[in-house]
Amino acid sequence: MEENNKKKKGTIENQILVIFGSNGDLAKRKLMPAIFQLYIDNLLPENFVVIGAGSQEKDELTNRKEVNVNMKEFAAEAVKQNPEMLKTFLNHIYYQKVHNQTEEDFGALKTYIDALSAKLNIPQNIIYYFSIPPFLYEVVAGHMIKFGLNNEENGWKRIIIEKPFGYSYDTAIDLDTKLRAGFNEDQIYRIDHYLGKETVQNIMVTRFSNGFFEPIWNRKYIDRVEITAAEKIGVGNRGGYYDTSGAMRDMIQNHLLQVLAVVAMEPPSIFDSESIRNESVKVLQSLRPIKPHEVAANVVRGQYIETYVDEVTEKGYRQEKDVKPNSKTETFVALKIFVDNWRWGDVPFYIRTGKHLPDRVTEVVIHLKPAPHLLFKQRCVAQSTNMIILRISPDAGVAVDFGMKIPGAGYKVQNVNMAFHYSDLAQNKISEAYERLLLDCMIGDSTLYARADAVKASWKFVDPILNAWENNPDIPLYFYECNTWGPKESNLLFGDKELKWRAPFKKFKTE
Ligand code: BG6
C-alpha cells in the first residue's frame, strides 16, 4: 500500500476526487471554486472527475445545476472571465447520495465508483475529501474500510481531513489510531490552510534563499518575535462550532504554531516533504511546556462583549447564535512561548489572535536586538531597534525597518523602512490556499500538510493550558470591547512597561 502511494508522487495522474459533505459550506465556498480555478489554469489531469457525496437524494443533472448556481456566487470572478469553461467543467461533476452514518451507502458508493471508473476509463486513483464535521471522521473512515474504499490494488487512495484533528491530545491520538486502521500516514493529508498560503511558504524562501537574513536569525541578534492573526469580524453564524473550540483550538493549536514552526525551524538538508516536516516538528517538540501554575502569567484569554461601534451595536460573544449565555470560551488569546533549543534559547515568541479586533491582519514581526553600543541613543526620535516584518495577509509583503539620520544639523535618528509588496510583482496572482493544497495532494506532495507527529506535539503544548483554564476558575477571562486589540492585560506578557504589542505595519494595508 505504502509503496504504491510513494511510487506515484510528483506526477499528476488521471484521478477521481470524492467530496464527502459536498452540499456543505466548505465544499461550495472553497473546494469547488478552487477546483474550477485549477481547471481554468489547465492544471488538472486530462481524465478527472469530482464525485459529490452528500446526504441529499438528487440526480446528477440536478446536482450539476446546483453546482452551476453556487459557482456563480462563490467563484463569481472566475466564472465571469471564463463562462464557457464553466459549462465544460460541469461535465466532470458527478453525484452519489452518501449518508455518512449509513453503512450501506458506502457499499453503494463503491459500486458507483467501480462503474464510473470503468465507463470513463479512469484509474481508481482517488482522493476522498472529508468536508464533514470532525466527529464523523472515524465513522466515515470505518465505513470506507469495511467496503474496501481504501484498497490500493487498482490505484492509490488518499484522504484529506480538515482541522480540528481531535479536541485534545488524547482525542487526537485516538482519531489517528482509528484512521491508521485503514490508511498509512502517507495517505493521510491533514490540511492546514495557513501552510497553503503563498506568503507562509515565502517565509522559508526569505530565510533560506538569502544570505543576509539567516546569519542574524537566532538568539544572538533577535530580541523577540511577535505573531499576530487578527480578525475584524466576530464568530457570526459559527457559534455552535466555536463555542466548543475557542481561539486556542481554532487558531493557535494549528495555524499559528505551524507559522511559528516555519519561522523558527532549522534549514532542511534537502527541500522535500519529509525533510521540511522533520525540521518543523522539532520546533514544536521544543516548545517549553507551560505548567498549570504558569498559565495565568503567560497566557491571556479574552472574550468580546457587546459594544457600540460606528453607530452600530455589535453583539457580545455570549449573545451570538448557538453560544451558551454564560460561555467562558475565549475569542482572544495572547501567549508567550519559548522554543528551547540552541538557536532560540530564551527568545520569547509572542502570539496573539482574536475576533472583533480593529483590523483583519496576519503578520510576523522579528524584533532585532539594539546595536551593542548606542551612539545615537540620546538623539533617537523613534524606537532604536530594527524589525523585519513578514506580512502574511492582506497586502502580503516583506519589510525591514531601520534607523536613518534625519537630514539637517546634528545626528537625529528616525525609523524608516523598505517594503516589498507582492502586488508589485509582474506575476502577482496569489493562489488561494485550497488550490495549492488540493493540487499538492493530487500530485502526492504532503510538504504543506500537517504530519501526525506535529499535530501531537502541538496538542501536547496546548493541552495543559486548556486544562488549567477548565480546572482553575481563578485564571481570569478578560472581557474586551469590539474594535479594540483585546484585553489590555495582553501587554503584561512582555513584563516590561516599555514594551507592548505593535500595531500592524502601516505601509501594508489592512482590511
Ligand atoms: C479558520 C478558523 O481555520 O481560520 C476561523 O476556523 C478563522 O475561525 C480562519 O477565521 C482564519 O483564516 P484566514 O485565512 O482568514 O486568516
Side-chain angles (χ1 to χ4, degrees), residues 212-241:
F212 59 98
F213 286 119
E214 205 45 29
I216 56 167
W217 212 265
N218 57 52
R219 65 191 302 273
K220 196 163 169 209
Y221 298 100
I222 293 181
D223 182 70
R224 61 189 191 279
V225 177
E226 272 180 61
I227 303 176
T228 293
E231 289 182 88
K232 215 171 158 70
I233 54 172
V235 298
N237 58 11
R238 296 171 74 222
Y241 150 74

Side-chain angles (χ1 to χ4, degrees), residues 484-495:
T484 66
W485 285 99
K488 56 184 178 330
E489 285 78 2
S490 65
N491 283 323
L492 299 177
L493 293 177
F494 293 95

